[in-house]
Every structure is written in structure tokens, then in C-alpha cells.
Amino acid sequence: MSEEIPPLLPDGGAAADLNRRPAARPATGRPDVVVLDYGFGNVRSAVRALERVGADVELTADRDRAAEADGLVVPGVGAFAAVMEGLKAVRGDQVVERRIAGGRPVLGICVGMQVMFEAGVEHGVRAEGLGQWRGVVEMLDAPVVPHMGWATVEAPEGTTLFRGIEDERFYFVHSYAAQEFSQGHDEHADPRFQPPRVTWAQHGGRFVAAVEDGTLAATQFHPEKSGDAGATLLENWVTSL
């Protein structure tokens, strides 16, 4: 049985050892961001893009650093099931869950977004995801797959990620996506909680291009490959930390 990570709390308590930032890391005044290195992401370009928009960035698989950073980025390329295996190998699934439970920011990119859903189905094989959002990631309903290239998105009102870039194009490379999104709010939901803001794009049918859900945000496209628009999106996220 793998070792469990204690609940991650914003200001210490049971998880003070995970929240505590090592004294050896000098304060720079810039947000401290970890890009999770678990073998399934375009990590170097993500690191460079985040550094350019003002973050102090570390690429690491260390769970303590991933837990304690101001922001955690979960990149992902390849098959859904393989990405989940990679995450679990470094206990990234536990770190993501504890960060979200503790209200600490997480940004998923590409398959790093897909694994936030309940499951993914590829070649008839279902793999369980992190279950932060309802829904299943499936092959795009389009005449040409993969979807590769630039596309516009339909950003919602009140968006933070797309502030100032609502009408820009972003770079996609994917064959699978979530094509429905359940808000998870019904007549019994607490009205104090803001439902997720969902951004859509089109390739054949509509699919989820991004989600902003409290401190959990994710994009199906690659902001680090999306030129000035992608840089602005990352800057919007970094400045929100």
C-alpha cells in the first residue's frame, strides 16, 4: 500500500510539513510555480513560457515541492491511461487532490486537463481519471482526427484565463476531448459557490477547450505553443496566484 499524503491545508495544521516552503529558497516577490515532471508532458516549453510571464519555475517530480508551490502545472501528452499511470507513479494524483481540497491553484494542460475528468476511453479501453469533473473524455466526432492547428474559442462571461484574449486563436493537438460538461450544480447546490466557467471550441462537434473551476483551471490547447495569446493566458493565471 502506498503512503498516503495528509490533507493539504492553506495555513498549516495537519499538513504543515507539506505547506512549509524551505528556507533555502529566497523570496523573489514572483509567484513560485512547479511544473510536475512525471514523464508525460511538453515540460521544457511550459517552463520557459511560465518564466517569461514572471514566475519562478521549478520542474520536478518531488511531491513536497509540488504540494507547497504557489501554483502547480500538470502538463500531459500521449494516451490518457499512460498519463494517469505516470501521475500515480509520482503520487501526483494525491498531490493534485490535496491541493484542490486545500484551495491551492492547479493548472492542467492538454491531457493534464483530460485526466481531471472521471474517465477517458481510448480504443475501447476505459481508464479512470482524477474525477474532479463529471464526464468522459472520448475521441472527437470529426472527419479529420487529430485536431491539429489553430482555432478560436468561445470563452464565457467573467473569465479570468481569457481576460483580454477572448477573441484570439489557440494551438490544439489532440484526438480526444470532453464533449459535454456537467456543471454539477442542481437545486440543492449551495448558491454561494460559483459554477465552473467552461470555454468551448469546435472541430466536427463542440468540445471543452478550457475550464475555470475555483482554484482548478485547465486548457485542452497548449498555451505554451499559442504565441502571444497563450502567453497572456499564462500571465493571467500566474498573476492570480
Side-chain angles (χ1 to χ4, degrees):
M1 179 179 296
S2 63
E3 177 188 349
E4 290 293 323
I5 300 177
L8 187 64
L9 305 177
D11 297 306
D17 59 321
L18 293 185
N19 288 332
R20 186 175 57 249
R21 187 162 299 136
R25 290 184 62 83
T28 64
R30 296 187 296 271
D32 172 29
V33 173
V34 160
V35 175
L36 190 61
D37 184 12
Y38 62 103
F40 289 89
N42 188 26
V43 291
R44 296 296 177 185
S45 60
V47 168
R48 290 193 294 269
L50 288 158
E51 288 174 337
R52 285 195 292 268
V53 297
D56 281 340
V57 187
E58 182 176 357
L59 174 63
T60 182
D62 181 86
R63 68 185 179 96
D64 291 344
R65 283 290 297 122
E68 76 200 7
D70 296 327
L72 174 68
V73 174
V74 182
V77 295
F80 187 106
V83 167
M84 280 300 302
E85 288 179 5
L87 275 173
K88 290 179 178 179
V90 300
R91 288 184 286 176
D93 56 329
Q94 295 180 26
V95 172
V96 168
E97 181 177 351
R98 301 316 193 265
R99 283 188 65 93
I100 294 169
R104 308 196 73 175
V106 175
L107 175 67
I109 295 175
C110 197
V111 187
M113 168 180 169
Q114 295 178 7
V115 296
M116 301 298 172
F117 287 88
E118 290 176 309
V121 176
E122 297 188 12
H123 308 295
V125 178
R126 180 184 174 104
E128 297 305 308
L130 298 177
Q132 295 297 326
W133 298 316
R134 298 177 187 175
V136 178
V137 173
E138 298 179 289
M139 181 172 281
L140 291 167
D141 181 13
V144 177
V145 175
H147 174 211
M148 182 180 300
W150 296 82
T152 56
V153 300
E154 303 168 29
E157 292 186 8
T159 178
T160 297
L161 283 182
F162 294 91
R163 184 179 298 130
I165 48 172
E166 293 88 346
D167 300 319
E168 298 293 339
R169 298 189 304 158
F170 299 87
Y171 190 76
F172 292 84
V173 183
H174 64 121
S175 298
Y176 297 84
Q179 292 157 69
E180 297 180 356
F181 191 93
S182 171
Q183 297 289 342
H185 285 245
D186 54 28
E187 66 273 15
H188 304 297
D190 189 330
R192 295 174 299 175
F193 291 99
Q194 173 70 43
R197 291 187 171 97
V198 182
T199 295
W200 299 87
Q202 186 101 13
H203 183 69
R206 293 175 87 227
F207 64 88
V208 178
V211 180
E212 301 165 71
D213 185 11
T215 56
L216 173 59
T219 67
Q220 177 61 68
F221 55 85
H222 288 272
E224 75 280 8
K225 296 181 180 180
S226 296
D228 291 343
T232 299
L233 183 142
L234 291 175
E235 184 176 17
N236 287 343
W237 181 72
V238 167
T239 55
S240 73
L241 300 177

